[in-house]
Amino acid sequence: MAALALSAHPGPALVVTTIAALLAAAARLPLPVVVCVAGGVAAGQLVIGWVNDLVDRTRDRAAARADKPLATGRIGAGPVRAAALLAGGVCVVLSLAAGRPSGLVHLVLGVGAGLAYDLGLKATVWSWLPYAVAFGTLPAVASLAGDSPAWPPWWAMAAGAALGVGAHILNALPDLAADLRTGVRGLPHRLGARTGRIAATGLLVAASLLAALGSGHRPPPWVWGMLPAVAGLAVLALTGRGRLPFRAALGIALLDVVLLVGSG
């Protein structure tokens, strides 16, 4: 069971699910709808994570990825494939139960973008696009749910897109050399470690500024108080090593949700 959970990339999945739940709650949706939004997003993240490890298992073996249960043999492809199919069914049911507009956006632009990354875009210059689409439309998954669906403002979606691309670059940096040996040449690999780190940090800061100030309304004082925390995490993203920059990006993602809510 632990190996199956690890194959689903549980850390990022938990953060994305938390973001969706907070956005749905901030939209003042009824509790059952909030549960459907969060549950649908959680199931979708499991599908994307498991398919990613299924597709990459040969590449992960070649790179000697000890953190990948499928690559090390701790679990076989059969149980992971079955779990992905089950999660996919749950994802469809819960996403559509939250409301058809929300469900279609999540299934097509959220889960669909994630699977497109898994199945080929990861290794191309377009590797950033699924992250931009999936994270950019995450606010819409919440705002389009329930009985009064509405698209979120452009700046909220732009903040999500910038955040997603920045996180993508930082997540790839520790594995650049291994990826290049196995034929992966996504956007982070073409940028290189130094340029990629600078670009990603800039995108994360831009996302936070859009979240805090994009509405054009005067934000409450506590919003200004959160920006130094964003700056501190941005410094970690710029200077940290290993997985620390990506974890800093996840922290900024959670702060950005609070900034979005605070900015109205």
Side-chain angles (χ1 to χ4, degrees):
M1 186 63 71
L4 182 63
L6 186 59
S7 296
H9 304 200
L14 178 60
V15 171
V16 174
T17 301
T18 301
I19 291 171
L22 291 173
L23 288 172
R28 298 182 181 179
L29 296 170
L31 181 59
V33 179
V34 173
V35 171
C36 287
V37 168
V41 169
Q45 289 298 301
L46 293 177
V47 172
I48 294 167
W50 280 324
V51 171
N52 180 276
D53 275 19
L54 284 168
V55 172
D56 284 352
R57 63 188 185 277
T58 301
R59 186 181 294 124
D60 289 337
R61 279 193 206 102
R65 291 289 300 271
D67 58 328
K68 299 288 188 178
L70 272 168
T72 61
R74 289 172 57 193
I75 193 170
V80 177
R81 192 177 293 114
L85 289 171
L86 177 60
V90 172
C91 178
V92 171
V93 171
L94 290 179
S95 296
L96 293 177
R100 182 175 295 180
S102 170
L104 290 176
V105 167
H106 178 234
L107 294 171
V108 176
L109 299 179
V111 180
L115 292 177
Y117 176 84
D118 291 345
L119 298 173
L121 287 183
K122 173 181 180 177
T124 75
V125 70
W126 298 102
S127 65
W128 60 273
L129 185 59
Y131 280 83
V133 172
F135 277 79
T137 56
L138 192 55
V141 174
S143 68
L144 291 171
D147 296 329
S148 302
W151 282 94
W154 69 268
W155 50 268
M157 299 178 69
L163 178 66
V165 176
H168 162 53
I169 295 172
L170 292 177
N171 189 37
L173 291 185
D175 304 317
L176 288 185
D179 285 345
L180 287 171
R181 287 196 302 270
T182 55
V184 175
R185 282 186 52 81
L187 177 64
H189 311 83
R190 296 165 194 259
L191 291 175
R194 184 173 181 274
T195 302
R197 189 184 296 272
I198 294 171
T201 304
L203 286 167
L204 295 176
V205 171
S208 299
L209 292 176
L210 279 169
L213 308 174
S215 68
H217 301 146
R218 184 176 181 179
W222 62 264
V223 167
W224 297 105
M226 291 187 64
L227 291 179
V230 171
L233 289 171
V235 170
L236 290 179
L238 188 61
T239 62
R241 293 293 178 263
R243 298 291 173 186
L244 181 59
F246 179 60
R247 293 183 183 124
L250 296 180
I252 290 175
L254 292 172
L255 290 179
D256 283 355
V257 177
V258 180
L259 292 172
L260 279 172
V261 174
S263 66

